Amino acid sequence: MKQLKHWQQQLQSQPVVQQAQQRWQQFNQREQRLLSALAAVLLLALLYFVIWQPSQQLRTEANQRLQAQQQQLNWVQQSLARYQALKSSQDDTASAGGSLSQRLNQAAQAQDINLARLQPQGQGMLVSIDEAGFNQVLNFIAQLENQYQMSITTLDIARLEAPGQVRVRQLLVVEQG
């Protein structure tokens, strides 16, 4: 409080302030009221245009940025959920494969089977095997269904003269789903 009085006394001792006080005393009471009202209006306008309006504008812009960031976050979360759903629906080995014919070749190589012919047939692939062990063919079919998510629609197997050996005349394989 003492500092405020000290500061006020120093301010009043300034020649500019003393001249302003003398000038103020020269105005009549009506002019003093008008000038006081004008000063109040100017102070309010100054507060509005220098403080209130810029802060409101910054707040609006911040809200817009927040909404944009929230929309982007929602999009990322939705995309992540779709990605995880797709990833979980595919087996790791099936996702490493590629096209239908590439995955058929991979499965055949894993069972040591030589594919005689691969022919596209509608949405699937028609496979022929000249000679393979019966157990190898069964393991090959099981691998296609379980590991590579393929379905067998047609199967035509013929027995060969050698024991345990078969010929696959037609094996129609289509993607599941």
Side-chain angles (χ1 to χ4, degrees):
M1 194 68 163
K2 285 185 178 181
Q3 288 181 345
L4 183 62
K5 285 189 177 191
H6 178 67
W7 182 74
Q8 186 179 14
Q9 288 174 354
Q10 282 185 341
L11 187 64
Q12 287 179 352
S13 66
Q14 296 295 321
V16 173
V17 174
Q18 290 175 355
Q19 287 176 353
Q21 284 177 342
Q22 287 174 357
R23 183 81 115 158
W24 179 258
Q25 296 300 325
Q26 290 175 355
F27 293 124
N28 64 33
Q29 191 175 5
R30 183 173 179 246
E31 289 173 336
Q32 287 178 354
R33 276 186 280 166
L34 282 173
L35 287 174
S36 295
L38 178 63
V41 168
L42 288 176
L43 179 65
L44 288 175
L46 181 70
L47 289 174
Y48 177 78
F49 288 111
V50 172
I51 297 172
W52 181 260
Q53 187 182 25
S55 66
Q56 286 298 97
Q57 186 175 7
L58 289 174
R59 182 177 178 213
T60 302
E61 290 171 1
N63 283 336
Q64 289 171 349
R65 284 192 308 269
L66 175 65
Q67 288 175 355
Q69 292 293 324
Q70 286 175 336
Q71 288 174 351
Q72 187 176 16
L73 175 64
N74 288 339
W75 179 84
V76 167
Q77 288 173 337
Q78 290 171 356
S79 296
L80 180 62
R82 281 193 304 263
Y83 169 75
Q84 288 174 339
L86 285 173
K87 184 178 177 194
S88 67
S89 71
Q90 296 177 348
D91 194 30
D92 290 338
T93 56
S95 65
S99 70
L100 183 59
S101 62
Q102 288 173 333
R103 289 183 284 150
L104 283 167
N105 283 319
Q106 286 174 355
Q109 286 175 355
Q111 297 301 322
D112 198 27
I113 294 175
N114 291 323
L115 301 178
R117 185 177 77 175
L118 290 174
Q119 179 181 345
Q121 184 86 23
Q123 296 293 324
M125 188 73 68
L126 189 60
V127 179
S128 297
I129 303 170
D130 285 338
E131 185 177 343
F134 183 70
N135 288 334
Q136 287 176 303
V137 171
L138 288 180
N139 289 335
F140 174 65
I141 292 170
Q143 185 178 14
L144 292 177
E145 288 181 338
N146 297 327
Q147 191 172 354
Y148 290 96
Q149 281 75 38
M150 296 181 195
S151 295
I152 309 303
T153 13
T154 305
L155 178 60
D156 183 8
I157 298 178
R159 182 175 59 178
L160 297 176
E161 289 184 23
Q165 295 294 308
V166 294
R167 172 183 291 138
V168 178
R169 293 184 223 169
Q170 282 189 344
L171 174 62
L172 184 55
V173 180
V174 294
E175 297 272 358
Q176 286 182 358

